[in-house]
Structure formats: structure tokens, C-alpha cells
Amino acid sequence: MANQIDPTLNTVLGYIVDVLLALSIAGSFFTVLTFMLFPKLRTYPIRLILYLCMSIFLAQLFFYISFEAYDSIMCIPSALLLHYFFLADFVWTFCVAFNFYQMIVKRNRDAESFEKYYHMASWGLPLIFVIFISAFKKYINRGYFCYMENQLPIFLGFFVPGLLVVCANAVIFFFIAREIHDTLKNAPRSDKKEKSKEFRVYFSIFVSIGLSWIFGFIMTFFNDGVTDAIFLVLFSITTPLQGFLIFISYCLNDKVLSNYARLFGRVIPFCRRWEHLGSSTHISSTTGSNTGSSNSSRSDRSDRSDMSSSTNSISMTPIK
């Protein structure tokens, strides 16, 4: 497949990926920093995003290191850690997707009870893969890059688990999107502003569960030089930006900005003028209706209330 793709395109995409990875590393780092600095913002769904961003940050960081440490004693350790944290990234995306499903589709108010199992899976399963591959000494210097040997180790140790996770996440995303759409489609005219929030929630879920990886996996099934090049471009532009897009989805909102304004306002009084941003937002749980509404109408509004609560806790994007 690699021979079918224009070398110039590969070179250009290489530079683009370097820039986007730098943005993603910075974005995931500042997402972690933000929610470590402000515990009140660290709700249960946000904690899962925090752990996901830790995996993204370390995976992409060791991706860079693997290119720099190929001729040093750090070659094999960097290859091992690169593999481990990318697998952890995959498993955390599934945990985040499953949590969205529990909160939005199943309306599970006790979803937090799954967190301990998420940690066991996300940190434990990758360790099993890494130990097994290390036992067969399949981490090598591939020439200017430290990673696994070709063919079987990569297929079984990365491609198969990654493909399974991405396929599962795609199925879960379908049910989540359908539930959100079905709940909000009959909203009264005064609730039409929810449509923009609905799109933002779709976007935040899409980037959080790493669905852009699907472009890379689809690319491997084509070898005509055109289709695989199209998916290569899509993959190279979207996937390296995951950490940055998560930062945009979860940190660029009034709640976070008001907390930063309060923090910096301690040393820069000028920043205090933005402290009110978080408190000035109001999340409407239901919309006013006629006092003579039927029981089914009240039930529908209750569904929208639960949906508003769930999606707000996920996206942290306030409705003004």
C-alpha cells in the first residue's frame, strides 16, 4: 500500500502530522492541567476525559521520543511505552464511550460505579499485551524509529485490538446519537437552541471516543492509490488532533474560563472582570408549557431534562 501513495504526499503529510501532534500534546496537557487545578470542575465524566488525555499525552509524547531515541539505550523502553499508552488510549476511548451510553441511553444514575473497572481494563489490558510481546523480544530499532517488528506483532498487538475498539465505539456512538436526536427532535420552538448544543455534544463525543481512527483502519483495506490516499489524508489530519480537539470541547467554555480568571486575578487584577462568566450561565432543564399539559407531555419534558443534564455534564458547554 505504501508504494501506491505519492511520496510527495507522504512528505507533506509528515510535516502536517508533526504540527498537529504538537497541538494535540499541548491540548491534552492543558486539559489535564485544567481539571487538576480546578477540582470542582472534575465531575465523574470529566475524570474519565482526564485519564484519556493522560494516555493521549503520553502516547503521542513517546511517539516523538521513539524517533529521537532510535540510537540510544532508550530505544526499546520508548517502543514499549509507545505501544502501552496507545493501547491505553484505545481502551480509555471505549470506557468513555460506554460511559456515555450508560448516562445518555440507559439513563444510569449509578454509572460512576463502573470507574474501578475502567481503570483495571485501561491500565491492565495494555500491560498484558506489552509483557507478552516483550517476552518474545519483538520491540526493535526499525531504523530511525523504535517500535514492534513488522507483520504479526503489529497485527495482533495493535491492529486487531484497535480495530475492535473503534468498531465497538462506532456502534455505541450510533445508539447515543439516535437517543439524543430522538429525545430532542420534538422539542418546542423555544427549545430549538438545543440544536446547536446537540451538535456540540455529537462533536465532543466523536473526538473523545477516537472515531477518527476509523479512517486509518479503513485505509488498510484499500490498495488502489486513490482511495487509500483519501483516507490517509483524513486520518493524518483528524487523529493527531485528538488531544487538541478534546481541549476545545471541554476547556473552552465559560465555566473553565471563569476559573482561570479567578486564578490569574490573584496576581493580575485585570483578569477578575471575567470571573462572572461561569456564574452567568444558566442551564435550563425544562421548557415552560401550558399548565394543562398531558402526562405524556410532562414525561417528554422529563426526558429532555435528563438529557440536558447528561449532555451538559459531558460537554461542559453551557447553554446561554
Coordinates of all heavy atoms in Angstrom, one line a residue, residues 193-282:
K193 N -32.8 26.2 20.3 CA -31.4 26.5 20.5 C -30.7 25.3 21.0 O -29.4 25.2 21.0 CB -31.3 27.6 21.6 CG -31.9 27.2 22.9 CD -31.9 28.4 23.9 CE -32.5 28.1 25.3 NZ -32.5 29.2 26.2
E194 N -31.4 24.2 21.4 CA -30.8 23.0 21.8 C -30.1 22.3 20.6 O -29.3 21.5 20.8 CB -31.8 22.0 22.4 CG -32.4 22.5 23.8 CD -31.4 22.3 24.9 OE1 -30.6 21.4 24.9 OE2 -31.4 23.2 25.8
K195 N -30.5 22.6 19.4 CA -29.9 22.0 18.2 C -28.4 22.3 18.2 O -27.7 21.4 17.8 CB -30.6 22.5 17.0 CG -32.1 22.1 16.9 CD -32.2 20.6 16.8 CE -33.7 20.1 16.7 NZ -33.8 18.7 16.7
S196 N -28.0 23.5 18.4 CA -26.6 23.8 18.4 C -25.9 23.0 19.5 O -24.7 22.6 19.3 CB -26.4 25.3 18.5 OG -26.8 25.8 19.8
K197 N -26.5 22.9 20.6 CA -25.9 22.1 21.7 C -25.8 20.7 21.3 O -24.8 20.0 21.7 CB -26.6 22.3 23.0 CG -26.0 21.5 24.2 CD -26.7 21.8 25.5 CE -26.2 20.9 26.6 NZ -24.7 21.2 26.8
E198 N -26.8 20.2 20.7 CA -26.9 18.8 20.2 C -25.6 18.5 19.3 O -25.0 17.5 19.5 CB -28.1 18.5 19.4 CG -28.3 17.1 19.0 CD -29.6 16.8 18.2 OE1 -30.4 17.7 18.2 OE2 -29.7 15.8 17.6
F199 N -25.4 19.4 18.4 CA -24.2 19.2 17.5 C -22.9 19.3 18.3 O -22.0 18.4 18.1 CB -24.2 20.3 16.4 CG -22.9 20.3 15.6 CD1 -22.8 19.3 14.6 CD2 -21.9 21.2 15.9 CE1 -21.6 19.3 13.8 CE2 -20.7 21.1 15.1 CZ -20.6 20.2 14.1
R200 N -22.8 20.2 19.3 CA -21.6 20.3 20.1 C -21.4 19.0 20.9 O -20.2 18.5 21.1 CB -21.6 21.5 21.0 CG -21.6 22.8 20.3 CD -21.3 23.9 21.3 NE -22.2 24.1 22.3 CZ -23.3 24.8 22.3 NH1 -23.6 25.5 21.2 NH2 -24.1 24.9 23.3
V201 N -22.5 18.4 21.4 CA -22.3 17.1 22.1 C -21.9 16.0 21.2 O -21.0 15.2 21.5 CB -23.7 16.8 22.8 CG1 -23.6 15.4 23.4 CG2 -24.0 17.8 23.9
Y202 N -22.5 15.9 19.9 CA -22.0 15.0 19.0 C -20.5 15.1 18.7 O -19.8 14.1 18.7 CB -22.7 15.1 17.6 CG -24.2 14.8 17.6 CD1 -25.1 15.4 16.8 CD2 -24.7 13.8 18.4 CE1 -26.4 15.1 16.8 CE2 -26.0 13.4 18.4 CZ -26.9 14.1 17.6 OH -28.2 13.8 17.6
F203 N -20.1 16.3 18.5 CA -18.7 16.6 18.2 C -17.8 16.2 19.4 O -16.8 15.5 19.2 CB -18.5 18.1 17.9 CG -17.0 18.5 17.7 CD1 -16.4 18.2 16.5 CD2 -16.3 19.1 18.7 CE1 -15.1 18.6 16.2 CE2 -15.0 19.5 18.5 CZ -14.4 19.2 17.2
S204 N -18.2 16.6 20.6 CA -17.3 16.2 21.8 C -17.2 14.7 22.0 O -16.2 14.2 22.3 CB -17.8 16.9 23.0 OG -19.1 16.4 23.4
I205 N -18.4 14.0 21.8 CA -18.3 12.6 21.9 C -17.5 11.9 20.8 O -16.7 11.0 21.1 CB -19.8 12.0 21.9 CG1 -20.6 12.5 23.1 CG2 -19.8 10.5 21.8 CD1 -22.0 12.1 23.1
F206 N -17.6 12.4 19.6 CA -16.9 11.9 18.4 C -15.4 11.9 18.7 O -14.7 10.9 18.5 CB -17.2 12.6 17.2 CG -16.6 12.1 15.9 CD1 -17.2 11.1 15.1 CD2 -15.3 12.6 15.5 CE1 -16.6 10.6 14.0 CE2 -14.7 12.1 14.4 CZ -15.4 11.1 13.6
V207 N -14.9 13.1 19.1 CA -13.4 13.2 19.3 C -13.0 12.5 20.6 O -11.9 12.0 20.6 CB -13.0 14.7 19.4 CG1 -13.4 15.4 18.1 CG2 -13.6 15.4 20.6
S208 N -13.9 12.4 21.6 CA -13.5 11.8 22.8 C -13.3 10.3 22.7 O -12.5 9.7 23.4 CB -14.5 12.1 23.9 OG -14.6 13.4 24.2
I209 N -14.1 9.6 21.8 CA -14.1 8.2 21.7 C -13.2 7.8 20.5 O -13.1 6.6 20.1 CB -15.5 7.6 21.6 CG1 -16.2 8.0 20.3 CG2 -16.3 7.9 22.8 CD1 -17.5 7.4 20.1
G210 N -12.5 8.8 19.9 CA -11.4 8.5 19.0 C -11.9 7.8 17.7 O -11.2 7.0 17.1
L211 N -13.1 8.3 17.2 CA -13.7 7.7 16.0 C -12.9 8.0 14.7 O -13.0 7.4 13.7 CB -15.1 8.1 15.8 CG -16.1 7.3 16.6 CD1 -17.6 7.6 16.3 CD2 -15.9 5.8 16.5
S212 N -12.0 9.1 14.8 CA -11.2 9.4 13.6 C -10.2 8.3 13.3 O -9.8 8.2 12.1 CB -10.4 10.7 13.9 OG -9.6 10.6 15.0
W213 N -10.0 7.4 14.2 CA -9.1 6.2 13.9 C -9.7 5.3 12.8 O -9.0 4.6 12.2 CB -8.8 5.4 15.2 CG -7.7 5.9 16.0 CD1 -7.9 6.8 17.1 CD2 -6.3 5.6 15.9 NE1 -6.6 7.1 17.7 CE2 -5.7 6.3 16.9 CE3 -5.6 4.9 15.1 CZ2 -4.3 6.3 17.1 CZ3 -4.2 4.8 15.2 CH2 -3.6 5.5 16.3
I214 N -11.0 5.4 12.7 CA -11.7 4.6 11.7 C -11.1 4.9 10.3 O -11.1 3.9 9.4 CB -13.2 4.8 11.7 CG1 -13.9 3.6 11.1 CG2 -13.6 6.1 11.1 CD1 -15.4 3.5 11.4
F215 N -10.7 6.1 10.0 CA -10.1 6.4 8.7 C -8.8 5.6 8.5 O -8.6 5.1 7.3 CB -9.8 7.9 8.6 CG -11.0 8.8 8.7 CD1 -11.0 9.9 9.6 CD2 -12.2 8.5 8.0 CE1 -12.2 10.7 9.7 CE2 -13.3 9.3 8.1 CZ -13.3 10.4 9.0
G216 N -8.0 5.5 9.5 CA -6.8 4.8 9.4 C -7.0 3.3 9.1 O -6.3 2.6 8.3
F217 N -8.0 2.7 9.8 CA -8.3 1.3 9.7 C -8.9 1.0 8.3 O -8.6 0.0 7.7 CB -9.1 0.8 10.8 CG -8.4 0.7 12.1 CD1 -8.7 1.5 13.2 CD2 -7.4 -0.2 12.3 CE1 -8.1 1.5 14.4 CE2 -6.7 -0.3 13.5 CZ -7.1 0.5 14.6
I218 N -9.8 1.9 7.9 CA -10.4 1.7 6.5 C -9.3 1.8 5.5 O -9.4 1.0 4.5 CB -11.5 2.8 6.3 CG1 -12.7 2.5 7.2 CG2 -11.9 2.7 4.8 CD1 -13.8 3.6 7.1
M219 N -8.4 2.7 5.6 CA -7.3 2.8 4.7 C -6.5 1.5 4.4 O -6.1 1.3 3.2 CB -6.3 3.9 5.2 CG -5.1 4.2 4.3 SD -4.0 5.3 5.1 CE -3.4 4.4 6.6
T220 N -6.4 0.7 5.4 CA -5.6 -0.5 5.2 C -6.3 -1.5 4.3 O -5.6 -2.5 3.9 CB -5.3 -1.2 6.6 OG1 -6.6 -1.5 7.2 CG2 -4.6 -0.2 7.5
F221 N -7.6 -1.4 4.1 CA -8.3 -2.3 3.3 C -8.3 -1.9 1.8 O -8.9 -2.6 1.0 CB -9.7 -2.5 3.8 CG -9.8 -3.1 5.1 CD1 -10.0 -2.3 6.3 CD2 -9.7 -4.5 5.3 CE1 -10.1 -2.9 7.5 CE2 -9.7 -5.1 6.5 CZ -9.9 -4.3 7.7
F222 N -7.7 -0.8 1.4 CA -7.6 -0.4 0.1 C -6.2 -0.3 -0.4 O -5.3 -0.1 0.4 CB -8.3 1.0 -0.1 CG -9.8 1.0 0.1 CD1 -10.3 1.3 1.4 CD2 -10.7 0.7 -0.9 CE1 -11.6 1.3 1.6 CE2 -12.0 0.7 -0.7 CZ -12.5 1.0 0.6
N223 N -6.0 -0.5 -1.7 CA -4.7 -0.5 -2.3 C -4.7 0.0 -3.7 O -4.0 -0.5 -4.6 CB -4.1 -1.9 -2.2 CG -2.6 -2.0 -2.5 OD1 -1.9 -1.0 -2.2 ND2 -2.1 -3.1 -3.0
D224 N -5.6 1.0 -4.0 CA -5.7 1.4 -5.4 C -5.0 2.8 -5.6 O -5.0 3.3 -6.7 CB -7.2 1.6 -5.8 CG -7.9 2.5 -4.9 OD1 -7.3 3.2 -4.0 OD2 -9.2 2.6 -5.0
G225 N -4.3 3.3 -4.5 CA -3.6 4.5 -4.7 C -4.4 5.8 -4.6 O -3.8 6.9 -4.4
V226 N -5.7 5.7 -4.7 CA -6.5 6.9 -4.6 C -7.4 6.9 -3.4 O -7.3 7.8 -2.5 CB -7.5 7.0 -5.9 CG1 -8.4 8.2 -5.7 CG2 -6.7 7.1 -7.2
T227 N -8.1 5.8 -3.2 CA -9.0 5.6 -2.0 C -8.1 5.6 -0.8 O -8.5 6.3 0.2 CB -9.8 4.4 -2.1 OG1 -10.5 4.3 -3.3 CG2 -10.8 4.3 -0.9
D228 N -7.1 4.9 -0.8 CA -6.2 4.8 0.4 C -5.6 6.2 0.7 O -5.3 6.5 1.9 CB -5.2 3.7 0.4 CG -4.4 3.7 -0.9 OD1 -4.7 4.5 -1.8 OD2 -3.4 3.0 -1.0
A229 N -5.3 6.9 -0.4 CA -4.7 8.3 -0.2 C -5.7 9.2 0.5 O -5.3 10.0 1.3 CB -4.2 8.8 -1.5
I230 N -7.0 9.1 0.1 CA -8.0 9.9 0.6 C -8.2 9.7 2.1 O -8.2 10.6 3.0 CB -9.4 9.7 -0.1 CG1 -9.3 10.2 -1.5 CG2 -10.5 10.4 0.7 CD1 -10.5 9.8 -2.4
F231 N -8.2 8.4 2.5 CA -8.4 8.0 3.9 C -7.1 8.3 4.7 O -7.2 8.7 5.9 CB -8.8 6.6 4.1 CG -10.2 6.3 3.8 CD1 -10.6 5.7 2.6 CD2 -11.2 6.7 4.7 CE1 -11.9 5.4 2.3 CE2 -12.5 6.5 4.4 CZ -12.9 5.8 3.2
L232 N -6.0 8.3 4.0 CA -4.7 8.7 4.7 C -4.7 10.1 5.1 O -4.3 10.5 6.2 CB -3.5 8.4 3.8 CG -2.1 8.8 4.3 CD1 -1.8 8.1 5.6 CD2 -1.1 8.6 3.2
V233 N -5.2 11.0 4.1 CA -5.3 12.4 4.4 C -6.3 12.7 5.6 O -6.0 13.4 6.5 CB -5.7 13.2 3.2 CG1 -6.0 14.6 3.5 CG2 -4.6 13.1 2.1
L234 N -7.4 12.0 5.5 CA -8.4 12.2 6.6 C -7.9 11.8 7.9 O -8.0 12.4 8.9 CB -9.7 11.4 6.3 CG -10.5 11.9 5.1 CD1 -11.7 10.9 4.7 CD2 -11.1 13.3 5.4
F235 N -7.2 10.6 7.9 CA -6.6 10.1 9.2 C -5.5 11.0 9.7 O -5.4 11.3 10.9 CB -6.1 8.7 8.9 CG -5.3 8.1 10.0 CD1 -6.0 7.6 11.1 CD2 -3.9 8.0 10.0 CE1 -5.3 7.1 12.2 CE2 -3.2 7.4 11.0 CZ -3.9 7.0 12.2
S236 N -4.7 11.5 8.8 CA -3.5 12.3 9.2 C -3.9 13.6 9.7 O -3.1 14.2 10.5 CB -2.5 12.4 8.0 OG -2.1 11.1 7.6
I237 N -5.0 14.1 9.3 CA -5.5 15.4 9.7 C -6.3 15.4 11.0 O -6.2 16.3 11.9 CB -6.3 16.1 8.6 CG1 -5.3 16.5 7.4 CG2 -6.9 17.4 9.1 CD1 -6.1 17.1 6.3
T238 N -7.1 14.3 11.2 CA -8.0 14.3 12.3 C -7.5 13.6 13.5 O -7.5 14.1 14.6 CB -9.3 13.6 11.9 OG1 -9.0 12.2 11.4 CG2 -10.1 14.3 10.8
T239 N -6.9 12.4 13.4 CA -6.4 11.6 14.5 C -5.3 12.3 15.3 O -5.4 12.3 16.6 CB -6.0 10.3 14.1 OG1 -7.0 9.6 13.4 CG2 -5.6 9.4 15.3
P240 N -4.3 12.9 14.7 CA -3.2 13.6 15.5 C -3.8 14.8 16.3 O -3.1 15.3 17.2 CB -2.2 14.0 14.5 CG -2.5 13.2 13.3 CD -3.9 12.9 13.3
L241 N -5.0 15.2 16.0 CA -5.5 16.4 16.7 C -6.4 16.1 17.9 O -7.0 16.9 18.5 CB -6.3 17.3 15.7 CG -5.6 18.4 14.9 CD1 -6.6 19.1 14.0 CD2 -5.0 19.4 15.9
Q242 N -6.5 14.8 18.2 CA -7.5 14.4 19.2 C -7.3 15.1 20.5 O -8.3 15.6 21.1 CB -7.3 12.9 19.5 CG -8.4 12.4 20.5 CD -8.3 10.9 20.8 OE1 -7.2 10.3 20.5 NE2 -9.3 10.3 21.4
G243 N -6.1 15.3 21.0 CA -5.9 16.0 22.3 C -6.3 17.4 22.2 O -6.9 18.0 23.1
F244 N -6.0 18.1 21.1 CA -6.4 19.5 20.9 C -7.9 19.7 20.8 O -8.4 20.6 21.4 CB -5.7 20.0 19.6 CG -5.9 21.5 19.4 CD1 -5.3 22.4 20.2 CD2 -6.7 21.9 18.3 CE1 -5.6 23.8 19.9 CE2 -7.0 23.2 18.1 CZ -6.4 24.2 18.9
L245 N -8.5 18.8 20.1 CA -10.0 18.9 19.9 C -10.7 18.6 21.2 O -11.7 19.2 21.5 CB -10.5 17.9 18.8 CG -10.0 18.2 17.4 CD1 -10.5 17.1 16.4 CD2 -10.4 19.5 16.9
I246 N -10.2 17.7 22.0 CA -10.8 17.5 23.4 C -10.6 18.8 24.2 O -11.5 19.1 25.0 CB -10.1 16.3 24.1 CG1 -10.5 15.0 23.4 CG2 -10.4 16.2 25.5 CD1 -9.8 13.7 23.9
F247 N -9.5 19.4 24.1 CA -9.3 20.7 24.8 C -10.3 21.7 24.4 O -10.9 22.4 25.3 CB -7.8 21.2 24.6 CG -7.6 22.6 25.1 CD1 -7.4 22.7 26.5 CD2 -7.6 23.7 24.3 CE1 -7.1 24.0 27.0 CE2 -7.3 24.9 24.8 CZ -7.1 25.1 26.1
I248 N -10.5 21.8 23.1 CA -11.6 22.8 22.6 C -12.9 22.4 23.2 O -13.7 23.3 23.6 CB -11.6 22.8 21.1 CG1 -10.3 23.4 20.6 CG2 -12.8 23.5 20.6 CD1 -10.1 23.4 19.1
S249 N -13.2 21.1 23.2 CA -14.6 20.7 23.5 C -14.9 20.8 25.0 O -16.0 21.1 25.4 CB -14.8 19.2 23.2 OG -14.6 19.0 21.8
Y250 N -13.9 20.6 25.9 CA -14.1 20.6 27.3 C -13.5 21.8 28.1 O -13.9 21.9 29.3 CB -13.5 19.3 27.9 CG -14.3 18.1 27.4 CD1 -13.9 17.4 26.2 CD2 -15.4 17.6 28.0 CE1 -14.5 16.3 25.8 CE2 -16.1 16.5 27.6 CZ -15.7 15.8 26.4 OH -16.3 14.8 26.0
C251 N -12.6 22.5 27.5 CA -12.0 23.6 28.3 C -12.3 25.0 27.8 O -12.1 26.0 28.5 CB -10.4 23.4 28.2 SG -9.9 21.9 29.1
L252 N -12.7 25.1 26.5 CA -13.1 26.5 26.0 C -14.5 26.7 26.3 O -15.4 26.7 25.4 CB -12.7 26.6 24.5 CG -11.2 26.5 24.2 CD1 -11.0 26.8 22.7 CD2 -10.4 27.5 25.1
N253 N -14.9 27.0 27.5 CA -16.2 27.3 27.9 C -16.2 28.3 29.1 O -15.2 28.5 29.7 CB -17.1 26.1 28.2 CG -16.5 25.3 29.3 OD1 -16.5 25.7 30.5 ND2 -16.0 24.1 29.0
D254 N -17.3 28.9 29.4 CA -17.4 29.9 30.4 C -17.0 29.4 31.8 O -16.3 30.1 32.5 CB -18.8 30.5 30.5 CG -19.1 31.4 29.2 OD1 -18.2 31.6 28.5 OD2 -20.3 31.7 29.1
K255 N -17.3 28.2 32.1 CA -17.0 27.7 33.5 C -15.5 27.6 33.7 O -15.0 28.0 34.7 CB -17.6 26.3 33.7 CG -19.1 26.2 33.9 CD -19.6 24.8 34.1 CE -21.1 24.8 34.4 NZ -21.5 23.4 34.7
V256 N -14.8 27.1 32.7 CA -13.3 26.9 32.8 C -12.7 28.3 32.7 O -11.8 28.6 33.5 CB -12.8 26.0 31.7 CG1 -11.3 26.1 31.7 CG2 -13.3 24.6 31.8
L257 N -13.1 29.2 31.8 CA -12.5 30.5 31.7 C -12.7 31.3 32.9 O -11.8 32.1 33.3 CB -13.1 31.2 30.5 CG -12.8 30.6 29.1 CD1 -13.5 31.4 28.0 CD2 -11.3 30.5 28.9
S258 N -13.9 31.2 33.6 CA -14.1 32.0 34.8 C -13.2 31.5 35.9 O -12.7 32.3 36.8 CB -15.6 31.8 35.2 OG -15.9 30.5 35.6
N259 N -12.9 30.2 36.0 CA -12.0 29.7 37.0 C -10.6 30.1 36.7 O -9.8 30.5 37.7 CB -12.1 28.1 37.0 CG -13.2 27.6 37.9 OD1 -13.0 27.4 39.1 ND2 -14.3 27.4 37.2
Y260 N -10.2 30.2 35.5 CA -8.8 30.7 35.2 C -8.8 32.2 35.5 O -7.7 32.7 36.0 CB -8.5 30.5 33.7 CG -7.8 29.2 33.5 CD1 -8.4 28.1 32.7 CD2 -6.5 28.9 34.0 CE1 -7.7 26.9 32.5 CE2 -5.9 27.7 33.8 CZ -6.5 26.7 33.0 OH -5.8 25.5 32.8
A261 N -9.9 32.9 35.2 CA -9.9 34.4 35.5 C -9.7 34.6 37.0 O -9.0 35.5 37.5 CB -11.2 35.0 35.0
R262 N -10.4 33.8 37.8 CA -10.3 33.9 39.3 C -8.9 33.5 39.7 O -8.3 34.2 40.6 CB -11.3 32.9 39.9 CG -11.4 33.1 41.4 CD -12.5 32.2 42.0 NE -13.8 32.5 41.3 CZ -14.5 31.7 40.5 NH1 -14.0 30.6 40.2 NH2 -15.6 32.1 40.0
L263 N -8.2 32.5 39.1 CA -6.9 32.1 39.5 C -5.9 33.2 39.1 O -5.1 33.6 40.0 CB -6.5 30.8 38.8 CG -5.1 30.3 39.0 CD1 -4.9 29.9 40.4 CD2 -4.8 29.1 38.1
F264 N -5.9 33.7 37.9 CA -5.0 34.7 37.5 C -5.3 36.1 38.1 O -4.4 36.9 38.2 CB -4.9 34.8 35.9 CG -4.3 33.7 35.3 CD1 -5.0 32.9 34.4 CD2 -2.9 33.4 35.5 CE1 -4.4 31.8 33.8 CE2 -2.3 32.3 34.9 CZ -3.1 31.5 34.0
G265 N -6.5 36.2 38.5 CA -6.9 37.5 39.1 C -6.2 37.8 40.5 O -6.2 38.9 40.9
R266 N -5.7 36.7 41.0 CA -5.0 36.9 42.3 C -3.7 37.7 42.1 O -3.2 38.4 43.1 CB -4.6 35.5 42.9 CG -5.9 34.7 43.3 CD -5.5 33.3 43.7 NE -6.6 32.4 44.0 CZ -6.6 31.2 44.3 NH1 -5.4 30.6 44.4 NH2 -7.6 30.5 44.6
V267 N -3.1 37.6 40.9 CA -1.9 38.3 40.7 C -2.1 39.4 39.6 O -1.3 40.3 39.5 CB -0.7 37.4 40.3 CG1 -0.3 36.5 41.4 CG2 -1.1 36.5 39.1
I268 N -3.1 39.2 38.8 CA -3.4 40.2 37.7 C -4.8 40.7 37.9 O -5.8 40.1 37.4 CB -3.2 39.6 36.3 CG1 -1.8 39.0 36.2 CG2 -3.4 40.7 35.3 CD1 -1.6 38.3 34.9
P269 N -5.1 41.7 38.7 CA -6.4 42.2 39.0 C -7.3 42.4 37.7 O -8.5 42.2 37.8 CB -6.2 43.5 39.7 CG -4.8 43.3 40.3 CD -4.0 42.6 39.3
F270 N -6.7 42.7 36.6 CA -7.4 43.0 35.4 C -8.3 41.7 35.0 O -9.3 41.9 34.4 CB -6.4 43.3 34.3 CG -7.1 43.5 32.9 CD1 -7.8 44.7 32.6 CD2 -7.0 42.5 32.0 CE1 -8.4 44.9 31.4 CE2 -7.6 42.7 30.7 CZ -8.3 43.9 30.4
C271 N -7.8 40.5 35.3 CA -8.4 39.3 34.9 C -9.8 39.1 35.6 O -10.6 38.3 35.2 CB -7.5 38.1 35.1 SG -6.0 38.1 34.1
R272 N -9.9 39.8 36.8 CA -11.1 39.5 37.6 C -12.4 39.9 36.9 O -13.5 39.4 37.3 CB -11.0 40.2 38.9 CG -9.9 39.7 39.8 CD -9.7 40.6 41.0 NE -8.6 40.1 41.9 CZ -8.2 40.7 42.9 NH1 -8.7 41.9 43.3 NH2 -7.1 40.2 43.6
R273 N -12.4 40.7 35.9 CA -13.6 41.1 35.2 C -14.3 39.9 34.5 O -15.4 40.0 34.1 CB -13.3 42.2 34.2 CG -12.3 41.7 33.0 CD -12.2 42.8 32.0 NE -11.7 44.1 32.6 CZ -11.7 45.2 31.9 NH1 -12.2 45.3 30.7 NH2 -11.2 46.3 32.5
W274 N -13.6 38.8 34.3 CA -14.2 37.6 33.6 C -14.6 36.6 34.6 O -15.0 35.5 34.2 CB -13.2 37.0 32.6 CG -13.0 37.9 31.4 CD1 -13.9 38.2 30.5 CD2 -11.8 38.7 31.1 NE1 -13.3 39.1 29.6 CE2 -12.0 39.4 29.9 CE3 -10.5 38.8 31.7 CZ2 -11.1 40.2 29.4 CZ3 -9.6 39.6 31.2 CH2 -9.8 40.3 30.0
E275 N -14.5 36.8 35.9 CA -14.8 35.8 36.9 C -16.3 35.5 36.9 O -16.7 34.4 37.3 CB -14.5 36.3 38.3 CG -13.0 36.3 38.6 CD -12.7 36.7 40.1 OE1 -13.6 36.5 40.9 OE2 -11.6 37.1 40.4
H276 N -17.1 36.4 36.4 CA -18.6 36.2 36.4 C -19.1 35.2 35.3 O -20.2 34.8 35.3 CB -19.3 37.5 36.3 CG -19.1 38.1 34.9 ND1 -18.0 38.7 34.5 CD2 -20.0 38.1 33.8 CE1 -18.1 39.1 33.2 NE2 -19.3 38.7 32.8
L277 N -18.2 34.9 34.4 CA -18.6 34.1 33.2 C -19.3 32.8 33.6 O -20.4 32.5 33.1 CB -17.4 33.8 32.3 CG -16.9 34.9 31.5 CD1 -15.6 34.5 30.8 CD2 -17.9 35.5 30.5
G278 N -18.7 32.1 34.5 CA -19.3 30.8 34.9 C -20.6 30.9 35.6 O -21.5 30.1 35.4
S279 N -20.8 31.9 36.5 CA -22.0 32.1 37.2 C -23.1 32.7 36.4 O -24.3 32.7 36.8 CB -21.7 32.9 38.5 OG -21.2 34.2 38.1
S280 N -22.8 33.3 35.3 CA -23.8 34.0 34.5 C -24.5 33.0 33.6 O -25.5 33.4 32.9 CB -23.2 35.1 33.7 OG -22.3 34.6 32.7
T281 N -24.0 31.8 33.5 CA -24.7 30.8 32.6 C -25.8 30.1 33.3 O -25.7 29.8 34.5 CB -23.7 29.8 32.0 OG1 -23.1 29.1 33.1 CG2 -22.6 30.5 31.2
H282 N -26.8 29.7 32.6 CA -27.9 29.0 33.2 C -28.3 27.9 32.3 O -28.5 28.0 31.1 CB -29.1 30.0 33.4 CG -30.3 29.3 33.9 ND1 -30.5 28.8 35.1 CD2 -31.5 29.0 33.2 CE1 -31.7 28.3 35.3 NE2 -32.3 28.4 34.1

